[in-house]
Each structure stands twice: as C-alpha cells, then as structure tokens.
Amino acid sequence: MTPSDIKDTIDNKTGSDIRSLLGKKLLFSDGAMGTLLQAEGMKGGEIPETWNMLHPEVLLSIHTRYLGAGSNIIAANTFGCNRYKLEHCDYDLDTLTSTGIRLVKDAIKKFETEANSVFSNRPHFAALDVGPLGKLLKPIGNITFDEAESAYAEIVRAGTKAGADILFFETFTDLYDLKAAIIAAKENSNLPIFVSVAPDENGRLLTGGDLEAYVALAEGLGVDALGMNCGFGPKQFLKFLPVITKVCSIPILVQPNAGLPKVVNGVTTFDVMPDEFAADELELVKEGCCIVGGCCGSTPEHISASVRLCEDTFSDKDSLPPTVPKNLTVISSYTHAVYFGDRPLLIGERINPTGKKALKQALRDKDINYIINEAIAEEEAGSDILDVNVGLPEIDECEMMETAIEEITAISTLPLQIDTSDIKTMERALRIYNGKPLLNSVNGKLESMEAVFPLAKKYGAAVVALTLDEEGIPETPEKRVAIADKIIKKAAEYGIDKKDLIFDTLTMTVSTDINNAKITLEALRKIRYEYGINTVLGVSNVSFGLPLRSIMTSTFFTLAMENGLSAGIINPLDERLMAAYDSFLTLRGFDNQCLRYIGKYSEKTDPYTAKPSTSGTPGTNGQTADSASASATSSEKPASPLFTAVTKGMIDKAGTECKNMLAAGTTPIDIIDNNLIPALDVVGKGFEEKKVFLPQLLMSADAAKSAFDVIKQYYAENGTKGESKGTVVMATVKGDIHDIGKNIVKVLLENYDYTVIDLGKDVAPETIVETVLEHNIMLVGLSALMTTTVVSMEETIKQLREKAPFCKVVVGGAVLTQEYADKIGADRYSPQAMDTVKFAKEVFGK
C-alpha cells in the first residue's frame, strides 16, 4: 500500500476528535511501560515489543490499569519497533506494531463497555508510540536523512494501517532525527502528531539543540502538540517549561520520570511517590501544559493521583490555562533559534556567486573548502544567518546545494537562508536542512506563490517575499505595499501566517534614479510599522556604479535600520558596514553600556586618521570569548592551519595540512603534541562548557582522525609506529542495543591515542570479563540507555570486581546518575564523553 493509498483510506474521525480537544480539555497520557514489564518478569536483554506476541494478557492488563487510573491516551508497546532495533528479532515490524495497537484498542473497547468506572465514558485514544532509531544521522552518524525518514515511514504506515489514533514520537535527543520522523508522519498519514524530547540537565539535547530550536522546528513542521519526557522528575521539567511556554503557540505535553533511578537490592526504583508526583504535575498544568502523564518509573498509581488532583483543581474546563499564540518570526539551526523583530539581524551574503569570480570557479571545481572558509569567516565576523546560493547554469545546483548545506552545518551553528529559484533545489534543501530554514524567495507572481508556498508550508520555512509581480518592480512605495498585501492573503490560503513572511522591498541603485532609495525605504517603513511584518534588504545594490561603494552602502544600511529593517543581507567582512551596524546598535540602545562597541573598537585604528583609537580601554577586537578557534588559545602565536582545521571540523583540510607539515620537516610527535591534542582539548573544553556541541565535537574528532591517519601512514612507510597510551574495552551492556554514547566515547579515545577494543552492543558480562583477562585491560567503559538493562551493568561490574580487581570501570548513559554509578560500584561516572578521556589519562598516567 502506497503512502497516498493510506492517506486516502484513513478514517480521520478519531484524529479530528482529539484535535478538537487539544488545548481545551485537560488530557492525561499513561505512564511507564518498561518498568511494569520488568515487574511482570521481563528479563534484561529481552526486546519489550515481543511481549505483544508472547504475553498479550500482560499488555492488556497494563493498558487497562492505566485506563482505570484516568488516562485518555494509551501508548502501544511499540517504542522500539524500527528496522534497526528489530534487526535480530523473531517478529517483523508490521506484526509487532499491529498487535501492539490492537491490544490498546481491545483494552479501550473492553474498558468502555464493561468497566464500572467514572472514566469509562471519557474519550480514549490509542497512540502509536515511536522512539528514536538509536542511530545518529550524517554527517556525525552513519545513516542519511533519507534512510531515517524511510525507517520512520515504515513505522507510521504500519501504525496507521493498524488503526492508531495518534502518532506519538517521544524521547528524542536529536532534532534532525525528529525532523525525519515528522516528515515521514506527514507524508504517510493524516493522524495527529505529538512529539516529545528528552533534554539534559542544561535543557539541551544530545546533539546540542536547545528547547527554543526544538519548538521552532516542531511547530514550523505543523505538529499538533509538543513537549518533554524522560530523564528527570517533574520538578526539573518545571524549570524547563517556561522556556517552551515563552515561544510555543501549540498545546504542550510533559511526561516526567518518577524522579531519578536508584538501585535497591539489585532492583531499579524511583524516588518520587504518587502524591508528590501529582502535586508537581498540577504545577505543570498551571504553568501551561494541557497533556500530562509519566515516563520511567511512573505507575498507574502515579497517574491516578495526578488525575484526581488536577481534575479537582480544574473541574471547570474554562479554568484550564489557554494556549496563547506567539507572534514570533523565527528560524533555527540545529542548536538555537534566531528571532526577527528586535535588533536588526545580519545575513552574510558571501556564499552567492553573483559578482564573485572566485566563488563561481570554486563551484565549478566542487571546491567545498572554499565555501566552508567563507562560512567560517562570515560567522566569525558576526553574522546571525548565512545565505547559501550555489546557482550556476553549468553545474548541478541541487546536488551542490545539498553538499553545501551538509558541509556548512557540520562546521557552523548558524541558521541558513536557502537562496534559490529552482523548485527542485528548493524542495531538496528544505527537506534535508537541520532546522527551521529561511527561504529566499517568493514574489507576487501567481506562478511563484503556487510553487513556493506549498513547500514552505510542508517544511515549516519562513519565507522572504519580494515586492514584485507579473508587472515587474513597482515605481512607487504604495504599489510595492499592495503587492505585499496580495502575498499575505495568498499565503494565508496555504495556512502560512504573516509572521512567517519577511518582506524585501527591493534595493535599487541610486545611480540610475536618485529616488530609488527613498522609494525602497518608504515601502519598508510601511510594511514594518503599519502591517507589523518583518523586513529584509540586500543593501549593497544601492551603490552599484558609484565610487567608494562602501560609504554609500553603509549609510543606506543605517537609514534602512532606522526605517524598520529587520535583517540586512550584507558582507560582514566590510568594515564600514559593520561599523555602521555596531554604531546603530549602540545609538539605538541595543548595546548596554556601549560594551560591544568598546570591546570591538578600542584597539582598532581609525581608518580616516590612521591613528590608534584613544579610548584606552582594552577589548577583544570583535572576537567572541567562547570561540573554539586558534586565536582563543594564544594572542602571541598564530595557530597553525592544522589546528584551525581540527577545531573547525574541516576533515579534508586537516589531512592535507598534516601532510604539508610532515613534508616541511615537522615531526609527527610535534604535530600530535603541539597541534592535534591542543586542538582537541580546546574543542573538548568548549563541549564541557556547552559552547561547542556534539556535531562540532565529532566533526573535530573526525578531522583529527584524518590527520592521525596521515601520521600512521607516515610511520608505516618509515618503519616506525606511534605508541598507544593504553587499551580500553568499550561495550554497551547485555540487553541494550543503543550504542550512540559508546561510539562517541570511542572516537574521542582513539583521537587521544588510546587503543579501543569495541565489543559492540548487547554484550554479556562474561564476554567483557574474558576480554579484560585475555588482554590484561586496565580500563573498561560500559554504556546503558535503558532502565531495564542497568542490572546487566551492575552484574558486569560485580564479575569484574571478582575476577579482574585491577581493572577500573567508567560508566555512562542517559539513565545513570552519580549516585547510581556509586551504588553499582563504578569507579567513575561519565555524564559527558570527555569525562572518559580524562579518566583514561588518570588511569594510564598519560
């Protein structure tokens, strides 16, 4: 059955019913599944979803208990039903999924018709529960976006065909993975989409995304409800919730753990009791949640207590805090959101071949390093957004755009403006971009709007709208505003709100008509202040054909900002433009105590007098303190190109620069000790301080690896070899098939010159002990993600203590805490990958 067939045959009645309740009626989801299956006898290492086939009566009982507790939404036991986690399972995905949904449906039907309960007549919904694939996506992982989307599409089709009422994607830690899931849901089903992420203690996801970036992406893609689950008890989520409610315009859900896990007599327990859990969930509802439930450790008793307390407080449905729409124009990268409308934003224009011979040649030569260097320069110069235009008639624009997006997002955290007029390129770029993009552009021509708006709606993009139409560029501000009005109305027909439109009133050169700038600025002002819509301009066109263009352009830029410019597409390496921008921010009150201006210009030379500034206050020359760059490490000695390549994650360049250094006579030891290790240390420190994020960390590690590979080849050719600092055994424990964390640590250890024996995932304690004894291993790293498998970790440590007491053990994983690690006898708890590297240095003394 094709996706279109499925969508045509879906009964949307149930879906529309729950959509009509969202934000208007307080709803309750169920609680934990895994811990209840454990209590029923599920062993470590068993695939929970197989219980749908082997013990259906247990699943029926659990679902019924949650219904009796007051849950409206019952999640099927399908969390791990995907092609990767079921690779070695005896049952196929379709069978496990359809059976899981049927068991929920059967439980609901029986409860509604036979149970003597106050909750029997309430609405109940069966949710297809979908967890992450357990794989990282490229460029930091080993599966593509298309492969991830295809895997989720299988799940969605199976769940939709089986009769699910809701598609519920939960416990996600990577926004790119989540985007693949949402796209698969939209293309293969009409069911409501709920999404939930599991942030860390700093409110960030594993791959660096913050909660505002999450909201921008999920809300832009059109999900029906979003929220958080797992990882923490309800009190921690109370701290995170205001970040979401501040920017979110759709219903919010929260499913906390029943506190943090503890091990008591070998059994995993949780420390938040039902009454405390309920009191905290009541606060979550008061602060803006309209769906609450539980995750790990929560039971029907926890849900029952929450239902009773919350419904007693919100017995009047009108007292439920309303979901308030936020009028925010926002785009995002994989790490953070950028908002239009406060201070003017800077969009770097240098990755655009118009008028740039060197970039045109780089595009013809497929010289991606040239584009990467431009992106780095623009980011370091202060850009908020990077424009990416790779359109040349003689190249495959779609292929080059995809490559450029992948490579730029691997080394930069800035959001991108996708700049193309080719619809094929536009769709591909919107699809694979990791965030909520800015799309440049649509215009007032009917053909343009009919082509662009469906794509913008599907992929949740904000759109630059040009005030021109079939008759060309109007010569009056009133006509340009009239085109804007036409575009706003047409966008609304596609469900695109005006907050996702950013109008460009078109900068024309004053050398051809002295009134051009005035017309542009007047139209700009009307749209910004009379319509309340954000604006953008490519400012440099104003000075075309004139001498000393930078003087004219910077003055026009200032006038545009004063007339309501929300974002300027500029060359951020133009000092005059940046000086105008920095001055404007200070004069308009965006630069508190002039600290930005003083810090940036106190040591610069006045370009007009060629004399040093006389402010006398030391500054940073515009560099950011948190930059993981060469200049951040030394003000006296410039960093080597290899150091910069590693800190920036430039894989090919790192290998090339290493070869150049060896050819110039630099010893391998000098390269390692004075370039590679210091670069990794800088990135590692930035990662610990939450200034560098996982994709950057792994790209830097891969860049270092490419240099290490060159050195290894050099040693092989010269009859010598580099010495390992020590050997570490790494394994994901028995019963756990999640290896993301282990693989990250492995990459870092290898790049710090440790040898890693990787035993893989689902590894029995006996295998680990045998390996340790065979190789006389001094350090073992154990990983576990699931609460059901930490008992295997404890058993592994127990056996190591008995048979290899000389071996140290470091543990990590989302379900672990310092207290937990201490109780199971670990020598070190590693909440971050770099902690394992530090411990290895302690163990091996180097």
Side-chain angles (χ1 to χ4, degrees):
M1 183 176 285
T2 67
S4 59
D5 291 334
I6 290 173
K7 293 183 76 171
D8 289 342
T9 58
I10 288 170
D11 177 4
N12 285 317
K13 182 177 185 298
T14 305
S16 63
D17 283 347
I18 194 166
R19 285 187 173 117
S20 69
L21 297 175
L22 289 176
K24 299 174 183 176
K25 180 179 176 59
L26 182 57
L27 298 172
F28 299 91
S29 59
D30 56 11
M33 174 61 72
T35 46
L36 294 187
L37 291 179
Q38 269 189 309
E40 294 289 341
M42 186 178 72
K43 301 290 190 294
E46 283 194 78
I47 298 174
E49 291 74 22
T50 61
W51 275 52
N52 294 345
M53 310 301 297
L54 300 173
H55 306 285
E57 74 286 351
V58 174
L59 273 300
L60 283 169
S61 174
I62 291 173
H63 295 326
T64 301
R65 288 173 62 195
Y66 279 123
L67 289 164
S71 296
N72 304 99
I73 300 167
I74 304 296
N77 182 34
T78 53
F79 180 84
C81 282
N82 69 65
R83 64 173 68 156
Y84 300 106
K85 294 181 180 178
L86 299 178
E87 187 175 4
H88 303 294
C89 183
D90 293 334
Y91 301 98
D92 63 74
L93 183 151
D94 279 7
T95 299
L96 292 176
T97 301
S98 61
T99 305
I101 295 294
R102 179 180 57 78
L103 289 170
V104 175
K105 290 283 193 178
D106 288 349
I108 290 174
K109 183 177 180 180
K110 184 177 179 64
F111 181 77
E112 290 181 343
T113 57
E114 298 180 13
N116 182 19
S117 169
V118 294
F119 302 123
S120 296
N121 293 323
R122 297 191 177 184
H124 299 108
F125 306 96
L128 174 69
D129 191 33
V130 183
L133 298 176
K135 300 286 185 180
L136 285 171
L137 278 61
K138 291 183 177 181
I140 61 174
N142 55 9
I143 66 170
T144 66
F145 181 87
D146 291 335
E147 288 170 337
E149 188 276 330
S150 174
Y152 286 118
E154 290 176 347
I155 309 163
V156 168
R157 288 195 293 267
T160 302
K161 184 178 179 181
D165 303 316
I166 303 165
L167 304 176
F168 194 174
F169 300 96
E170 62 158 319
T171 327
F172 276 70
T173 58
D174 177 8
L175 293 182
Y176 206 27
D177 194 18
L178 180 61
K179 179 174 181 177
I182 297 172
I183 294 297
K186 294 177 69 173
E187 291 183 344
N188 293 278
S189 178
N190 291 327
L191 293 176
I193 302 170
F194 291 8
V195 297
S196 183
V197 296
D200 65 14
E201 67 276 9
N202 298 298
R204 285 191 176 273
L205 304 186
L206 175 68
T207 50
D210 65 20
L211 292 174
E212 292 187 21
Y214 160 52
V215 173
L217 173 75
E219 192 172 307
L221 287 170
V223 304
D224 295 275
L226 62 80
M228 304 173 285
N229 76 293
C230 204
F232 302 102
K235 284 185 172 59
Q236 186 67 41
F237 284 142
L238 277 167
K239 297 178 182 178
F240 294 154
L241 186 58
V243 178
I244 292 182
T245 55
K246 181 180 70 174
V247 296
C248 185
S249 298
I250 64 176
I252 298 171
L253 63 93
V254 177
Q255 295 176 306
N257 287 353
L260 296 175
K262 295 183 178 180
V263 177
V264 179
N265 297 324
V267 179
T268 304
T269 63
F270 291 79
D271 59 3
V272 176
M273 296 297 103
D275 287 346
E276 181 184 355
F277 187 86
D280 290 337
E281 292 230 302
L282 175 60
E283 293 304 313
L284 288 168
V285 175
K286 289 179 179 178
E287 293 300 317
C289 293
C290 63
I291 305 172
V292 290
C295 201
C296 299
S298 61
T299 65
E301 289 70 33
H302 288 80
I303 302 302
S304 178
S306 294
V307 171
R308 290 196 307 271
L309 184 60
C310 291
E311 291 202 335
D312 284 347
T313 304
F314 294 98
S315 56
D316 181 358
K317 66 177 183 179
D318 295 329
S319 66
L320 186 68
T323 300
V324 180
K326 312 296 189 302
N327 186 31
L328 297 172
T329 301
V330 59
I331 63 172
S332 68
S333 68
Y334 73 90
T335 62
H336 67 283
V338 170
Y339 299 91
F340 289 75
D342 190 9
R343 69 167 176 85
L345 301 174
L346 298 181
I347 302 176
E349 70 175 8
R350 293 177 61 83
I351 307 174
N352 186 322
T354 304
K356 301 181 182 70
K357 292 182 179 180
L359 178 57
K360 287 181 179 178
Q361 192 58 47
L363 292 171
R364 295 186 189 105
D365 296 340
K366 297 186 177 181
D367 181 4
I368 198 65
N369 281 328
Y370 184 94
I371 295 173
I372 288 173
N373 287 328
E374 290 290 273
I376 291 171
E378 292 192 289
E379 180 170 11
E380 292 183 342
S383 297
D384 300 291
I385 301 162
L386 300 178
D387 180 79
V388 181
N389 184 319
V390 295
L392 283 181
E394 62 266 42
I395 70 170
D396 185 332
E397 183 183 357
C398 188
E399 178 184 345
M400 179 55 72
M401 177 66 83
E402 181 168 359
T403 300
I405 289 174
E406 289 175 347
E407 296 290 342
I408 292 170
T409 54
I411 55 91
S412 173
T413 63
L414 296 186
L416 301 186
Q417 174 174 268
I418 295 168
D419 189 353
T420 180
S421 58
D422 179 73
I423 295 300
K424 176 185 175 184
T425 300
M426 188 180 293
E427 175 154 26
R428 185 60 185 163
L430 291 173
R431 188 179 190 85
I432 59 100
Y433 175 68
N434 190 357
K436 178 180 179 178
L438 177 59
L439 178 59
N440 190 4
S441 59
V442 72
N443 60 56
K445 297 178 182 179
L446 183 61
E447 179 184 17
S448 173
M449 292 187 286
E450 289 180 341
V452 174
F453 281 147
L455 295 180
K457 178 64 177 177
K458 177 177 179 179
Y459 295 107
V463 189
V464 172
L466 310 181
T467 52
L468 62 86
D469 60 11
E470 288 83 357
E471 296 181 8
I473 301 173
E475 297 181 354
T476 68
E478 290 79 14
K479 289 183 179 180
R480 294 189 196 182
V481 173
I483 291 175
D485 188 67
K486 177 173 67 174
I487 292 173
I488 293 168
K489 292 176 180 176
K490 192 65 176 179
E493 294 177 15
Y494 289 91
I496 298 173
D497 191 271
K498 66 179 184 179
K499 69 181 181 182
D500 280 324
L501 300 174
I502 303 163
F503 278 95
D504 185 338
T505 55
L506 302 171
T507 303
M508 308 297 289
T509 178
V510 292
S511 62
T512 60
D513 187 334
I514 199 63
N515 291 313
N516 272 341
K518 185 169 64 174
I519 293 167
T520 296
L521 294 175
E522 188 173 338
L524 182 85
R525 188 174 186 84
K526 285 179 178 292
I527 290 173
R528 180 72 186 96
Y529 295 118
E530 293 181 17
Y531 280 71
I533 300 179
N534 286 293
T535 58
V536 63
L537 287 175
V539 300
S540 61
N541 286 347
V542 74
S543 60
F544 186 77
L546 297 174
L548 292 175
R549 292 183 61 190
S550 181
I551 296 175
M552 180 69 70
T553 302
S554 61
T555 303
F556 175 72
F557 185 30
T558 302
L559 288 172
M561 288 188 286
E562 187 60 23
N563 278 274
L565 183 67
S566 305
I569 303 174
I570 71 162
N571 175 7
L573 304 187
D574 186 319
E575 291 191 6
R576 278 199 178 96
L577 276 175
M578 291 304 294
Y581 178 71
D582 295 328
S583 299
F584 180 84
L585 293 187
T586 302
L587 295 171
R588 293 295 283 149
F590 294 107
D591 183 7
N592 188 34
Q593 297 182 318
C594 306
L595 293 178
R596 173 192 171 99
Y597 187 88
I598 293 170
K600 192 170 182 179
Y601 294 102
S602 60
E603 294 182 351
K604 284 188 177 292
T605 299
D606 188 325
Y608 297 103
T609 64
K611 295 179 180 179
S613 169
T614 58
S615 70
T617 304
T620 64
N621 286 321
Q623 295 175 3
T624 56
D626 62 350
S627 175
S629 65
S631 55
T633 65
S634 171
S635 60
E636 298 178 0
K637 182 181 178 181
S640 71
L642 176 57
F643 182 101
T644 302
V646 173
T647 58
K648 293 298 182 184
M650 303 168 71
I651 298 171
D652 293 338
K653 186 175 177 61
T656 300
E657 293 299 338
C658 186
K659 290 179 183 178
N660 293 340
M661 293 181 75
L662 289 170
T666 308
T667 66
I669 294 300
D670 185 37
I671 292 174
I672 293 170
D673 290 346
N674 297 321
N675 293 271
L676 298 180
I677 297 301
L680 287 171
D681 285 343
V682 167
V683 176
K685 183 179 180 181
F687 182 69
E688 290 176 348
E689 296 173 349
K690 302 298 181 181
K691 297 171 182 175
V692 171
F693 305 107
L694 182 61
Q696 299 160 283
L697 178 73
L698 292 183
M699 293 301 292
S700 291
D702 283 342
K705 183 178 184 299
S706 72
F708 277 118
D709 288 344
V710 170
I711 292 172
K712 289 176 184 177
Q713 180 65 29
Y714 175 87
Y715 278 132
E717 292 173 355
N718 289 275
T720 59
K721 63 178 182 178
E723 292 186 5
S724 170
K725 294 178 179 178
T727 301
V728 183
V729 165
M730 296 292 301
T732 300
V733 299
K734 179 67 177 175
D736 206 314
I737 58 174
H738 300 85
D739 59 359
I740 289 176
K742 172 184 67 64
N743 292 341
I744 292 167
V745 174
K746 175 186 174 183
V747 170
L748 293 178
L749 284 169
E750 289 178 335
N751 277 289
Y752 275 85
D753 222 11
Y754 297 98
T755 300
V756 177
I757 299 176
D758 184 0
L759 297 179
K761 54 194 177 183
D762 190 18
V763 183
E766 294 76 14
T767 302
I768 297 169
V769 173
E770 288 170 6
T771 306
V772 167
L773 293 174
E774 179 183 353
H775 298 279
N776 195 32
I777 300 298
M778 300 297 294
L779 177 60
V780 168
L782 301 177
S783 174
L785 183 66
M786 302 164 61
T787 57
T788 56
T789 60
V790 289
V791 290
S792 296
M793 181 178 284
E794 183 179 18
E795 176 61 24
T796 302
I797 295 173
K798 179 182 177 183
Q799 291 192 25
L800 284 170
R801 294 291 179 250
E802 292 174 354
K803 300 178 181 179
F806 54 85
C807 181
K808 300 292 184 182
V809 181
V810 57
V811 299
V815 298
L816 295 175
T817 64
Q818 182 65 61
E819 180 184 14
Y820 206 33
D822 292 340
K823 286 193 174 185
I824 63 176
D827 295 292
R828 178 67 67 89
Y829 165 55
S830 176
Q832 301 290 349
M834 283 302 297
D835 294 323
T836 303
V837 176
K838 289 180 178 179
F839 190 50
K841 292 179 180 179
E842 295 177 18
V843 171
F844 295 105
K846 53 186 175 179

